[in-house]
Amino acid sequence: MTLMAEPAAGRFGDFGGRYVPESLVPACAELAAAFRDAWADKTFRDELDDLLAVYAGRPTPLTPARNLSGELGITLWLKREDLAHTGSHKINNVLGQALLARRLGRTRLIAETGAGQHGVATATAAALLGLTATIFMGARDIERQRLNVFRIQMLGAEVVPVTSGSRTLKDATNEAMRAWVADVDDAHFLLGSVGGPHPYPWMVREFQRVIGNEARSQAPSLPDAVVACVGGGSNAAGTFAGFVDTTARLIGVEAGGGAAMTGGAPGVVHGARSMVLQDAEGQVAEAESIAAGLDYPGVGPEHAHLGAIGRAEYRSVTDAEVVAAIHRLARSEGIICALESAHAVAWVLRAAGTAELPRGSRVLLTLSGRGDKDMVTLSEGAEA
Ligand SMILES: Cc1ncc(COP(=O)(O)O)c(C=O)c1O
């Protein structure tokens, strides 16, 4: 199975598509054509690869988690996206899309952010390429991820608080899409995950594929299981892309309160048909998670498809397991990861030594980001 090709009509099996207001259809079509061209253009690819290397610090290392491996009776390798510039995998996609926006003659970037990592990455690329950036962020996330709000502002971007709904990522994405409709000729909507209308799920996965490609060549042997946290699903999609044609199990770990794959049903959110948490009338339900980046009721359509065909498996963990996992990783390996990434760690801690992940398993886990932004949340009583 290979995921190289553009999904026909933006569909991944029964999922995906382009469910947007008519005014956005030309912009989506133009973006798909531009990405297709750029991705086949050596000059574009070279410029992106160069930025990823000399600016973002790629390749990120694959670190053997020796202490935890010994404690758990498995072999655990960590793909260190926390060491990429700005502190998470978000920069991979942002640099790609920002170069594309410049190629399209756009002068302004519009983005949504939950944990703030995508907002920071977008503000960073805007500063680098001389673009302006407007970042929509839920008021609740502004409070709990305030370090990243300061970073975004320091980089010269504007943060627009969103006070509707649950005041989190879903609502920020709604507002960002509205702002895009209003400024579709000058602005590029720089979506931070593998959701949204075609071409975003495909394009963002391609920009994140670098994680999986690097990890595949860095791993000393083929892992039995490849594990990543899933919010919208971009770090997982990028990681899985490097292993989907192997026998490795692919395991995405969601937040218990945002488990669209295991607790949702097919529906449409933010322009794509996918798995969505919803009420009996099909209204999108509120998610609830300690991790702002996973506090989202949907998931990218490719995950819905990989789940439906049984190629990837999805699990969820609780906030309490996540907090315990962040502390355990810190004490065992000297790595403070993001609350989002700690979901993947929490599942490994739970599964290791059981039938889910027998002793002796080789596990490759993408550590999507670093935990600095979460010190406020963790110090305000979220004890292990
Ligand atoms: C560190 C980190 N990991 C994971 C995520 C979730 O996004 P995705 O599922 O698209 O990788 C976020 C989102 O904000 C994040 O900041």
Side-chain angles (χ1 to χ4, degrees):
M1 179 186 208
T2 121
L3 301 178
M4 276 303 282
E6 178 178 357
R11 298 250 165 213
F12 301 88
D14 291 338
F15 302 100
R18 188 183 276 162
Y19 297 86
V20 290
E22 244 166 74
S23 55
L24 288 183
V25 171
C28 289
E30 183 191 26
L31 185 60
F35 175 63
R36 212 176 288 128
D37 276 3
W39 215 222
D41 175 354
K42 186 172 177 317
T43 314
F44 180 89
R45 297 287 284 256
D46 286 350
E47 187 175 10
L48 177 57
D49 286 349
D50 184 58
L51 275 184
L52 288 173
V54 304
Y55 187 69
R58 302 207 73 87
T60 58
L62 189 74
T63 303
R66 293 207 171 87
N67 299 326
L68 210 47
S69 293
E71 292 165 27
L72 298 175
I74 60 173
T75 299
L76 178 62
W77 299 302
L78 303 173
K79 180 60 177 158
R80 301 290 306 281
E81 294 303 293
D82 58 312
L83 294 179
H85 179 46
T86 69
S88 83
H89 67 295
K90 297 289 180 186
I91 194 77
N92 306 328
N93 165 49
V94 164
L95 287 174
Q97 284 198 50
L99 287 180
L100 201 55
R102 197 185 60 183
R103 190 177 166 106
L104 280 165
R106 301 293 196 272
T107 53
R108 178 182 178 217
L109 304 178
I110 292 172
E112 81 299 339
T113 197
Q117 287 300 136
H118 178 59
V120 169
T122 302
T124 297
L128 180 71
L129 299 181
L131 307 168
T132 62
T134 310
I135 314 294
F136 290 84
M137 191 166 183
R140 177 163 177 230
D141 293 338
I142 285 180
E143 275 163 38
R144 58 181 167 168
Q145 306 279 222
R146 46 185 174 267
L147 173 67
N148 277 345
V149 177
F150 291 134
R151 292 171 79 201
I152 294 167
Q153 290 168 336
M154 191 164 170
L155 289 158
E158 181 194 8
V159 177
V160 180
V162 176
T163 53
S164 54
S166 53
R167 301 176 299 134
T168 57
L169 183 55
K170 163 176 72 68
D171 315 288
T173 308
N174 288 341
E175 290 305 321
M177 289 185 85
R178 261 181 216 130
W180 185 30
V181 173
D183 192 17
V184 72
D185 291 333
D186 292 324
H188 170 69
F189 176 36
L190 207 162
L191 183 59
S193 195
V194 286
H198 180 59
Y200 287 98
W202 164 55
M203 176 176 71
V204 176
R205 181 251 282 161
E206 288 303 293
F207 285 140
Q208 292 292 3
R209 173 186 284 280
V210 64
I211 305 173
N213 286 351
E214 285 177 9
R216 173 98 173 251
S217 66
Q218 290 166 322
S221 59
L222 185 67
D224 300 303
V226 173
V227 187
C229 70
V230 173
S234 67
N235 84 91
T239 307
F240 291 178
F243 295 91
V244 72
D245 60 341
T246 73
T247 53
R249 285 171 67 198
L250 307 177
I251 298 161
V253 186
E254 296 182 294
M261 286 300 298
T262 51
V268 171
V269 68
H270 297 138
R273 183 166 192 276
S274 189
M275 296 297 281
V276 186
L277 292 180
Q278 51 194 287
D279 66 16
E281 272 93 49
Q283 290 296 325
V284 176
E286 307 288 359
E288 174 58 51
S289 168
I290 190 174
L294 307 192
D295 200 345
Y296 182 68
V299 65
E302 187 168 18
H303 288 292
H305 175 59
L306 290 173
I309 63 171
R311 178 62 191 95
E313 304 160 57
Y314 296 86
R315 303 284 188 270
S316 68
V317 292
T318 65
D319 285 353
E321 288 180 295
V322 167
V323 173
I326 218 170
H327 286 277
R328 177 101 180 253
L329 185 70
R331 299 277 172 99
S332 307
E333 300 296 337
I335 298 172
I336 300 177
C337 72
L339 281 168
E340 289 77 13
S341 324
H343 284 66
V345 179
W347 180 78
V348 169
L349 294 181
R350 185 209 285 169
T354 72
E356 276 270 84
L357 202 58
R359 282 183 76 79
S361 297
R362 287 159 305 179
V363 181
L364 189 145
L365 184 155
T366 293
L367 216 53
S368 56
R370 68 181 189 222
D372 310 36
K373 70 186 180 58
D374 298 316
M375 291 307 105
V376 175
T377 301
L378 288 164
S379 66
E380 282 172 356
E383 297 289 327

